[in-house]
Amino acid sequence: MSEIRAAFYGDDFTGSVDALLQFARRGWSGRLFTTLPTPAALHAAAREVDVVGIAGIARSLPPERMDAEVTPALQALVATGAPIVQYKACSTADSAPEVGSLGRVIEIGREIVAPRPVPMLFAQPDFGRFTLFGTHFASENGVVHRLDRQPTMSTHPSTPMTEADLAIHIGRQTALPVGALPLTAYADLAQRLRDADVAGVVLDAVTDADLVTVGTALRDLSAPVFAIGSGGLSQGIAAAAPGMSAAVPVATPAAGAVLVVSGSRSPQTRRQAEAAAAAGWLVRPLPLDLAGAAEAAQEAVAALASGRGVVFTSADAEVSAVGDRPILEAIAEASAIIVDAAAQARASRRVIVCGGDTSSRITRLLGIEALSIAANPWGNVVLLRPHAADPAIDRLELLLKGGQVGADTLFLDVAALDGCARRGTRFASRPLRPSVPER
C-alpha cells in the first residue's frame, strides 16, 4: 500500500498549482503532472511524495467531454491508494450546466471513488473567498461581495455567477440532490457528512480554523473520500496533519528579462500589462495566426536579448485571424510558439503565462510532463520548475497566473526578483503585496 496521503485532479492549471502550493506550505511534498501519466510514473511519484496531482482542463469543457477528461484521471488517482481524492475547483465555483459542470463532477466522483455524499468546500480565506450558511462571497479590490454581485464573476463571459447560494448553483447542474451544512452544525462534522441524505454537501468556512475542521472531518471518514473544493480545501486537508518537508524557497537564482503571454482578458491582467508598458516593456497584441506568431516570436527574442521585458496579450488580439479554430486553441498555439522560440534562443528563463485555460494548453504544447515548486516569493505567487525532455524547456521557470492574481505591478515585481534571488533574500525592492484573488 502506498504511503501517499492525498491526490487531486485540478480543473485548470493555475488552480492545480494553487493546490500544490497549499499542500507544500503545510510541509507536504508533491508533484503535479500536466497530463494523465502512465501508471508506472504515477505510482513511482506516489511512493516518493505526500500528494500527487493531475492538472486538467475540465473547467472549460462541456459535460459530454468532461467524462473522457475526468474519469480516467480519478481512476488513476484512486489506484494510488490515496485516502482522500480532491477535485480541485476554482474558489469562485466557476461552473455552469453547459461548461465545467460541478454537478457532473459529483456524478463521476460518486461512480469512480465512492458512492457517498461528496463534501464541497470553496472557501479560501487567504484568497478573499468565504462561505457562510451556504452563501458564497468573493473579494475584489479589497471589497467583499456576494458571489452573484462580485464585479468580475457576475459578468464572467462563460460562467457568469447569477446565484450565490452554492447548493442552488450546483444543484442546477445535476439531477442529484445537493444540500449544505453550516458552521453551526460543525460540532460532529464527520458524522453529519456520513448521515447526509444528499449527493453533494456544500460546507462553510470563514477562517483558516474552519478549513482545518473540514480537513480533520475528511480524515475521519472511511477511505477513499472524494471531495470537491478550492485551494482552501487543500489547505485544510494538509493543515489537519502537517508534513515534514522543508519550507518552500522564496527565491531562485534565475536572471534575465521576463516574457509574458496572456490568454486572460480580466481587468487585472490588463492593468498589469499597462503597468509593464508604462515601465518601458514591449507590449503587443498576440497574433493569432501562425505566421504572425512566428514573426512575433522573433520580435520577442530580440527584445528579451536586449534586456527588455515582453508582454503579448490576447485582450486586444485580432480574433478574425482565428478562422475555424477554437479561440482558446489559437491563443495557446501562438503563445507556445513565442515561448518556445524564447527558450530555444535562451533569451528568457522566466516566463509568465496568464489565464488558467491558456496555461493548461500551453504547458502541454511545450511538452512539459510535470511541475514542481521552485519558489514562492510572496502571497500565492509561485515559480514552477517544468520537467520536460527538451533541455531548453526544462531550464525555464514558469509562473502560471489566474486572471485576477497579483498586484498591478506583478510583472515588474517578478522581473525585480532577479537581483534579490542572487542574494538569496526575500524580494524587497518594492513593498510586498498580497495576491489579488484568483477568479
Side-chain angles (χ1 to χ4, degrees):
M1 177 64 68
S2 169
E3 295 300 320
I4 190 170
R5 307 175 75 184
F8 68 91
Y9 168 88
D11 68 358
D12 78 350
F13 270 48
T14 56
S16 300
V17 170
D18 177 52
L20 191 67
L21 173 62
Q22 300 309 323
F23 284 112
R25 281 178 169 170
R26 279 82 198 171
W28 286 31
S29 59
R31 187 157 321 151
L32 177 64
F33 291 93
T34 61
T35 189
L36 184 65
T38 64
L42 186 59
H43 284 275
R47 290 191 295 270
E48 298 171 1
V49 298
D50 296 312
V51 58
V52 294
I54 299 173
I57 58 172
R59 193 169 76 180
S60 63
L61 298 179
E64 61 272 16
R65 291 183 60 192
M66 290 179 70
D67 288 41
E69 168 77 11
V70 176
T71 296
L74 292 186
Q75 289 173 331
L77 295 175
V78 170
T80 66
I84 300 175
V85 177
Q86 176 186 355
Y87 180 95
K88 168 47 176 87
C90 184
S91 61
T92 45
D94 286 27
S95 57
E98 64 279 0
V99 61
S101 171
L102 293 175
R104 182 58 190 141
V105 173
I106 293 173
E107 296 165 0
I108 297 172
R110 284 168 57 89
E111 294 169 5
I112 302 300
V113 184
R116 298 195 296 266
V118 177
M120 296 185 288
L121 178 70
F122 297 92
Q124 193 164 355
D126 70 343
F127 259 15
R129 309 302 197 226
F130 313 94
T131 309
L132 189 60
F133 291 101
T135 301
H136 202 51
F137 300 84
S139 68
E140 184 164 326
N141 294 327
V143 179
V144 177
H145 305 266
R146 209 172 73 176
L147 185 61
D148 54 357
R149 296 176 185 173
Q150 199 241 25
T152 296
M153 293 312 305
S154 63
T155 60
H156 192 276
S158 60
T159 54
M161 294 296 112
T162 60
E163 176 57 67
D165 185 316
L166 292 180
I168 294 176
H169 169 63
I170 297 171
R172 291 170 175 168
Q173 303 170 27
T174 178
L176 297 176
V178 178
L181 280 174
L183 279 173
T184 51
Y186 275 21
D188 190 359
L189 182 56
Q191 189 58 48
R192 287 183 178 273
L193 288 171
R194 294 186 193 98
D195 295 341
D197 59 355
V198 291
V201 185
V202 173
L203 299 173
D204 285 1
V206 178
T207 68
D208 286 352
D210 298 331
L211 303 180
V212 177
T213 299
V214 173
T216 301
L218 297 193
R219 288 174 53 82
D220 289 342
L221 297 175
S222 299
V225 174
F226 179 66
I228 298 172
S230 67
L233 177 59
S234 308
Q235 176 182 339
I237 292 169
M244 300 297 291
S245 293
V248 179
V250 299
T252 72
V258 172
L259 170 63
V260 181
V261 290
S262 175
S264 167
R265 299 195 175 196
S266 79
Q268 187 61 21
T269 301
R270 178 181 287 274
R271 287 189 287 269
Q272 290 160 347
E274 291 171 348
W281 289 32
L282 175 69
V283 180
R284 296 279 190 270
L286 177 68
L288 298 182
D289 62 295
L290 299 182
E295 292 180 7
Q298 296 309 308
E299 183 180 21
V301 168
L304 291 164
S306 72
R308 188 182 184 190
V310 175
V311 181
F312 282 98
T313 173
S314 64
D316 301 309
E318 179 51 63
V319 296
S320 63
V322 173
D324 295 332
R325 293 180 298 158
I327 183 68
L328 278 175
E329 292 182 9
I331 290 171
E333 289 170 2
S335 298
I337 288 171
I338 295 170
V339 173
D340 184 64
Q344 300 302 331
R346 294 183 174 263
S348 178
R349 184 171 176 184
R350 189 168 285 158
V351 177
I352 301 175
V353 181
C354 305
D357 297 331
T358 308
S359 296
S360 62
R361 287 166 169 80
I362 291 175
T363 305
R364 290 177 176 178
L365 287 171
L366 291 173
I368 295 171
E369 300 166 0
L371 296 162
S372 55
I373 294 178
N376 174 210
W378 64 85
N380 291 294
V381 172
V382 184
L383 299 177
L384 297 163
R385 185 205 161 188
H387 301 274
D390 185 338
I393 301 300
D394 192 74
R395 69 181 289 276
L396 293 177
E397 284 184 4
L398 296 179
L399 193 165
L400 307 182
K401 189 194 86 70
Q404 294 183 63
V405 169
D408 292 355
T409 56
L410 176 66
F411 301 163
L412 308 178
D413 293 345
V414 171
L417 278 169
D418 293 341
C420 72
R422 286 191 292 273
R423 295 193 302 272
T425 59
R426 183 178 289 273
F427 168 60
S429 63
R430 293 182 180 86
L432 294 182
R433 300 174 175 85
S435 294
V436 177
E438 176 191 9
R439 73 173 180 84

